[in-house]
PDB file of all heavy atoms in Angstrom:
ATOM      1  N   ASP E 236     -24.241   5.689  20.857  1.00 95.00           N
ATOM      2  CA  ASP E 236     -24.803   4.823  21.910  1.00 95.00           C
ATOM      3  C   ASP E 236     -25.776   3.834  21.433  1.00 95.00           C
ATOM      4  O   ASP E 236     -25.825   2.697  21.756  1.00 95.00           O
ATOM      5  CB  ASP E 236     -25.497   5.755  22.958  1.00 95.00           C
ATOM      6  CG  ASP E 236     -24.502   6.579  23.775  1.00 95.00           C
ATOM      7  OD1 ASP E 236     -23.389   6.157  23.934  1.00 95.00           O
ATOM      8  OD2 ASP E 236     -24.940   7.584  24.286  1.00 95.00           O
ATOM      9  N   VAL E 237     -26.641   4.183  20.430  1.00 95.00           N
ATOM     10  CA  VAL E 237     -27.540   3.268  19.786  1.00 95.00           C
ATOM     11  C   VAL E 237     -26.779   2.148  19.074  1.00 95.00           C
ATOM     12  O   VAL E 237     -27.137   0.997  19.208  1.00 95.00           O
ATOM     13  CB  VAL E 237     -28.421   4.021  18.754  1.00 95.00           C
ATOM     14  CG1 VAL E 237     -29.296   3.010  17.996  1.00 95.00           C
ATOM     15  CG2 VAL E 237     -29.383   5.024  19.527  1.00 95.00           C
ATOM     16  N   ALA E 238     -25.765   2.516  18.334  1.00 95.00           N
ATOM     17  CA  ALA E 238     -25.012   1.482  17.622  1.00 95.00           C
ATOM     18  C   ALA E 238     -24.273   0.546  18.623  1.00 95.00           C
ATOM     19  O   ALA E 238     -24.329  -0.667  18.338  1.00 95.00           O
ATOM     20  CB  ALA E 238     -23.937   2.185  16.697  1.00 95.00           C
ATOM     21  N   LEU E 239     -23.661   1.046  19.656  1.00 95.00           N
ATOM     22  CA  LEU E 239     -23.005   0.171  20.597  1.00 95.00           C
ATOM     23  C   LEU E 239     -23.987  -0.738  21.335  1.00 95.00           C
ATOM     24  O   LEU E 239     -23.642  -1.910  21.625  1.00 95.00           O
ATOM     25  CB  LEU E 239     -22.207   1.077  21.645  1.00 95.00           C
ATOM     26  CG  LEU E 239     -21.060   1.910  21.038  1.00 95.00           C
ATOM     27  CD1 LEU E 239     -20.388   2.693  22.028  1.00 95.00           C
ATOM     28  CD2 LEU E 239     -20.077   1.003  20.228  1.00 95.00           C
ATOM     29  N   ARG E 240     -25.156  -0.253  21.656  1.00 94.00           N
ATOM     30  CA  ARG E 240     -26.169  -1.125  22.323  1.00 94.00           C
ATOM     31  C   ARG E 240     -26.574  -2.226  21.362  1.00 94.00           C
ATOM     32  O   ARG E 240     -26.737  -3.407  21.811  1.00 94.00           O
ATOM     33  CB  ARG E 240     -27.391  -0.249  22.733  1.00 94.00           C
ATOM     34  CG  ARG E 240     -27.123   0.595  24.030  1.00 94.00           C
ATOM     35  CD  ARG E 240     -28.485   1.017  24.626  1.00 94.00           C
ATOM     36  NE  ARG E 240     -29.206   1.820  23.707  1.00 94.00           N
ATOM     37  CZ  ARG E 240     -29.121   3.209  23.591  1.00 94.00           C
ATOM     38  NH1 ARG E 240     -28.288   3.845  24.387  1.00 94.00           N
ATOM     39  NH2 ARG E 240     -29.903   3.848  22.786  1.00 94.00           N
ATOM     40  N   ARG E 241     -26.771  -1.861  20.072  1.00 93.00           N
ATOM     41  CA  ARG E 241     -27.169  -2.874  19.107  1.00 93.00           C
ATOM     42  C   ARG E 241     -26.059  -3.990  18.973  1.00 93.00           C
ATOM     43  O   ARG E 241     -26.350  -5.228  18.914  1.00 93.00           O
ATOM     44  CB  ARG E 241     -27.396  -2.253  17.757  1.00 93.00           C
ATOM     45  CG  ARG E 241     -27.784  -3.242  16.675  1.00 93.00           C
ATOM     46  CD  ARG E 241     -28.949  -4.126  16.971  1.00 93.00           C
ATOM     47  NE  ARG E 241     -30.238  -3.353  17.118  1.00 93.00           N
ATOM     48  CZ  ARG E 241     -31.397  -3.814  17.557  1.00 93.00           C
ATOM     49  NH1 ARG E 241     -31.396  -5.067  17.874  1.00 93.00           N
ATOM     50  NH2 ARG E 241     -32.466  -2.980  17.592  1.00 93.00           N
ATOM     51  N   LEU E 242     -24.854  -3.559  18.895  1.00 94.00           N
ATOM     52  CA  LEU E 242     -23.759  -4.608  18.766  1.00 94.00           C
ATOM     53  C   LEU E 242     -23.622  -5.490  19.936  1.00 94.00           C
ATOM     54  O   LEU E 242     -23.174  -6.672  19.793  1.00 94.00           O
ATOM     55  CB  LEU E 242     -22.449  -3.867  18.491  1.00 94.00           C
ATOM     56  CG  LEU E 242     -22.283  -3.168  17.142  1.00 94.00           C
ATOM     57  CD1 LEU E 242     -21.041  -2.318  17.177  1.00 94.00           C
ATOM     58  CD2 LEU E 242     -22.268  -4.095  16.033  1.00 94.00           C
ATOM     59  N   THR E 243     -23.971  -5.039  21.166  1.00 94.00           N
ATOM     60  CA  THR E 243     -23.945  -5.895  22.374  1.00 94.00           C
ATOM     61  C   THR E 243     -25.282  -6.418  22.807  1.00 94.00           C
ATOM     62  O   THR E 243     -25.400  -6.923  23.841  1.00 94.00           O
ATOM     63  CB  THR E 243     -23.310  -5.103  23.528  1.00 94.00           C
ATOM     64  OG1 THR E 243     -24.012  -3.855  23.685  1.00 94.00           O
ATOM     65  CG2 THR E 243     -21.828  -4.755  23.222  1.00 94.00           C
ATOM     66  N   ASP E 244     -26.333  -6.277  21.932  1.00 92.00           N
ATOM     67  CA  ASP E 244     -27.603  -6.827  22.274  1.00 92.00           C
ATOM     68  C   ASP E 244     -27.554  -8.250  22.458  1.00 92.00           C
ATOM     69  O   ASP E 244     -27.065  -8.987  21.571  1.00 92.00           O
ATOM     70  CB  ASP E 244     -28.589  -6.426  21.176  1.00 92.00           C
ATOM     71  CG  ASP E 244     -29.997  -6.881  21.506  1.00 92.00           C
ATOM     72  OD1 ASP E 244     -30.682  -6.190  22.235  1.00 92.00           O
ATOM     73  OD2 ASP E 244     -30.363  -7.984  20.965  1.00 92.00           O
ATOM     74  N   PRO E 245     -28.037  -8.848  23.544  1.00 90.00           N
ATOM     75  CA  PRO E 245     -27.957 -10.330  23.805  1.00 90.00           C
ATOM     76  C   PRO E 245     -28.594 -11.115  22.767  1.00 90.00           C
ATOM     77  O   PRO E 245     -28.130 -12.292  22.464  1.00 90.00           O
ATOM     78  CB  PRO E 245     -28.687 -10.468  25.163  1.00 90.00           C
ATOM     79  CG  PRO E 245     -28.590  -9.202  25.806  1.00 90.00           C
ATOM     80  CD  PRO E 245     -28.671  -8.101  24.684  1.00 90.00           C
ATOM     81  N   GLU E 246     -29.648 -10.632  22.093  1.00 86.00           N
ATOM     82  CA  GLU E 246     -30.370 -11.370  21.097  1.00 86.00           C
ATOM     83  C   GLU E 246     -29.886 -11.226  19.640  1.00 86.00           C
ATOM     84  O   GLU E 246     -29.675 -12.210  18.911  1.00 86.00           O
ATOM     85  CB  GLU E 246     -31.845 -11.091  21.134  1.00 86.00           C
ATOM     86  CG  GLU E 246     -32.717 -11.958  20.262  1.00 86.00           C
ATOM     87  CD  GLU E 246     -34.184 -11.670  20.341  1.00 86.00           C
ATOM     88  OE1 GLU E 246     -34.603 -10.866  21.240  1.00 86.00           O
ATOM     89  OE2 GLU E 246     -34.971 -12.280  19.587  1.00 86.00           O
ATOM     90  N   HIS E 247     -29.528 -10.031  19.260  1.00 84.00           N
ATOM     91  CA  HIS E 247     -29.268  -9.682  17.916  1.00 84.00           C
ATOM     92  C   HIS E 247     -27.793  -9.119  17.772  1.00 84.00           C
ATOM     93  O   HIS E 247     -27.438  -8.852  16.634  1.00 84.00           O
ATOM     94  CB  HIS E 247     -30.220  -8.647  17.361  1.00 84.00           C
ATOM     95  CG  HIS E 247     -31.684  -9.163  17.410  1.00 84.00           C
ATOM     96  ND1 HIS E 247     -32.154 -10.156  16.576  1.00 84.00           N
ATOM     97  CD2 HIS E 247     -32.716  -8.705  18.168  1.00 84.00           C
ATOM     98  CE1 HIS E 247     -33.476 -10.306  16.855  1.00 84.00           C
ATOM     99  NE2 HIS E 247     -33.766  -9.494  17.905  1.00 84.00           N
ATOM    100  N   GLY E 248     -27.055  -8.997  18.757  1.00 89.00           N
ATOM    101  CA  GLY E 248     -25.761  -8.436  18.761  1.00 89.00           C
ATOM    102  C   GLY E 248     -24.636  -9.449  18.378  1.00 89.00           C
ATOM    103  O   GLY E 248     -24.923 -10.597  18.181  1.00 89.00           O
ATOM    104  N   VAL E 249     -23.400  -8.928  18.269  1.00 91.00           N
ATOM    105  CA  VAL E 249     -22.271  -9.815  17.889  1.00 91.00           C
ATOM    106  C   VAL E 249     -21.206  -9.724  18.915  1.00 91.00           C
ATOM    107  O   VAL E 249     -20.153 -10.447  18.784  1.00 91.00           O
ATOM    108  CB  VAL E 249     -21.800  -9.334  16.531  1.00 91.00           C
ATOM    109  CG1 VAL E 249     -22.676  -9.706  15.361  1.00 91.00           C
ATOM    110  CG2 VAL E 249     -21.378  -7.896  16.518  1.00 91.00           C
ATOM    111  N   LEU E 250     -21.276  -8.910  19.936  1.00 91.00           N
ATOM    112  CA  LEU E 250     -20.351  -8.754  20.971  1.00 91.00           C
ATOM    113  C   LEU E 250     -20.982  -9.082  22.326  1.00 91.00           C
ATOM    114  O   LEU E 250     -22.032  -8.540  22.662  1.00 91.00           O
ATOM    115  CB  LEU E 250     -19.743  -7.352  20.943  1.00 91.00           C
ATOM    116  CG  LEU E 250     -18.678  -7.091  19.928  1.00 91.00           C
ATOM    117  CD1 LEU E 250     -18.420  -5.535  19.979  1.00 91.00           C
ATOM    118  CD2 LEU E 250     -17.416  -7.862  20.120  1.00 91.00           C
ATOM    119  N   GLY E 251     -20.282  -9.850  23.170  1.00 89.00           N
ATOM    120  CA  GLY E 251     -20.702 -10.040  24.564  1.00 89.00           C
ATOM    121  C   GLY E 251     -20.385  -8.779  25.333  1.00 89.00           C
ATOM    122  O   GLY E 251     -21.127  -8.469  26.368  1.00 89.00           O
ATOM    123  N   ASP E 252     -19.316  -8.145  25.033  1.00 90.00           N
ATOM    124  CA  ASP E 252     -18.820  -7.028  25.834  1.00 90.00           C
ATOM    125  C   ASP E 252     -18.025  -6.057  24.890  1.00 90.00           C
ATOM    126  O   ASP E 252     -17.326  -6.519  24.003  1.00 90.00           O
ATOM    127  CB  ASP E 252     -18.002  -7.487  26.971  1.00 90.00           C
ATOM    128  CG  ASP E 252     -17.664  -6.367  27.949  1.00 90.00           C
ATOM    129  OD1 ASP E 252     -16.915  -5.399  27.549  1.00 90.00           O
ATOM    130  OD2 ASP E 252     -18.186  -6.436  29.117  1.00 90.00           O
ATOM    131  N   LEU E 253     -18.105  -4.764  25.044  1.00 92.00           N
ATOM    132  CA  LEU E 253     -17.427  -3.811  24.274  1.00 92.00           C
ATOM    133  C   LEU E 253     -15.887  -3.920  24.406  1.00 92.00           C
ATOM    134  O   LEU E 253     -15.137  -3.572  23.484  1.00 92.00           O
ATOM    135  CB  LEU E 253     -17.788  -2.363  24.498  1.00 92.00           C
ATOM    136  CG  LEU E 253     -19.275  -2.019  24.095  1.00 92.00           C
ATOM    137  CD1 LEU E 253     -19.628  -0.655  24.526  1.00 92.00           C
ATOM    138  CD2 LEU E 253     -19.405  -2.157  22.542  1.00 92.00           C
ATOM    139  N   ALA E 254     -15.455  -4.454  25.555  1.00 89.00           N
ATOM    140  CA  ALA E 254     -13.948  -4.728  25.823  1.00 89.00           C
ATOM    141  C   ALA E 254     -13.417  -5.770  24.828  1.00 89.00           C
ATOM    142  O   ALA E 254     -12.191  -5.840  24.702  1.00 89.00           O
ATOM    143  CB  ALA E 254     -13.828  -5.161  27.199  1.00 89.00           C
ATOM    144  N   GLN E 255     -14.274  -6.503  24.112  1.00 90.00           N
ATOM    145  CA  GLN E 255     -13.786  -7.470  23.192  1.00 90.00           C
ATOM    146  C   GLN E 255     -13.339  -6.802  21.918  1.00 90.00           C
ATOM    147  O   GLN E 255     -12.700  -7.536  21.051  1.00 90.00           O
ATOM    148  CB  GLN E 255     -14.926  -8.462  22.871  1.00 90.00           C
ATOM    149  CG  GLN E 255     -15.311  -9.370  24.071  1.00 90.00           C
ATOM    150  CD  GLN E 255     -16.529 -10.291  23.699  1.00 90.00           C
ATOM    151  OE1 GLN E 255     -17.131 -10.085  22.641  1.00 90.00           O
ATOM    152  NE2 GLN E 255     -16.846 -11.245  24.600  1.00 90.00           N
ATOM    153  N   LEU E 256     -13.577  -5.545  21.685  1.00 93.00           N
ATOM    154  CA  LEU E 256     -13.153  -4.925  20.524  1.00 93.00           C
ATOM    155  C   LEU E 256     -11.575  -4.828  20.487  1.00 93.00           C
ATOM    156  O   LEU E 256     -10.956  -4.424  21.446  1.00 93.00           O
ATOM    157  CB  LEU E 256     -13.683  -3.476  20.383  1.00 93.00           C
ATOM    158  CG  LEU E 256     -15.224  -3.367  19.924  1.00 93.00           C
ATOM    159  CD1 LEU E 256     -15.729  -1.978  20.102  1.00 93.00           C
ATOM    160  CD2 LEU E 256     -15.346  -3.815  18.468  1.00 93.00           C
ATOM    161  N   THR E 257     -11.002  -5.094  19.323  1.00 91.00           N
ATOM    162  CA  THR E 257      -9.600  -4.899  19.097  1.00 91.00           C
ATOM    163  C   THR E 257      -9.203  -3.374  18.928  1.00 91.00           C
ATOM    164  O   THR E 257      -8.266  -2.888  19.423  1.00 91.00           O
ATOM    165  CB  THR E 257      -9.132  -5.693  17.925  1.00 91.00           C
ATOM    166  OG1 THR E 257      -9.397  -6.980  18.068  1.00 91.00           O
ATOM    167  CG2 THR E 257      -7.538  -5.439  17.713  1.00 91.00           C
ATOM    168  N   ALA E 258     -10.071  -2.699  18.142  1.00 94.00           N
ATOM    169  CA  ALA E 258      -9.844  -1.263  17.759  1.00 94.00           C
ATOM    170  C   ALA E 258     -11.038  -0.691  17.237  1.00 94.00           C
ATOM    171  O   ALA E 258     -11.992  -1.444  16.731  1.00 94.00           O
ATOM    172  CB  ALA E 258      -8.608  -1.162  16.889  1.00 94.00           C
TER     173      ALA E 258
END
Side-chain angles (χ1 to χ4, degrees):
D236 289 333
V237 171
L239 296 179
R240 284 197 300 270
R241 175 58 64 188
L242 291 171
T243 53
D244 181 81
E246 184 177 356
H247 302 289
V249 289
L250 284 169
D252 190 294
L253 291 175
Q255 294 176 349
L256 283 170
T257 303

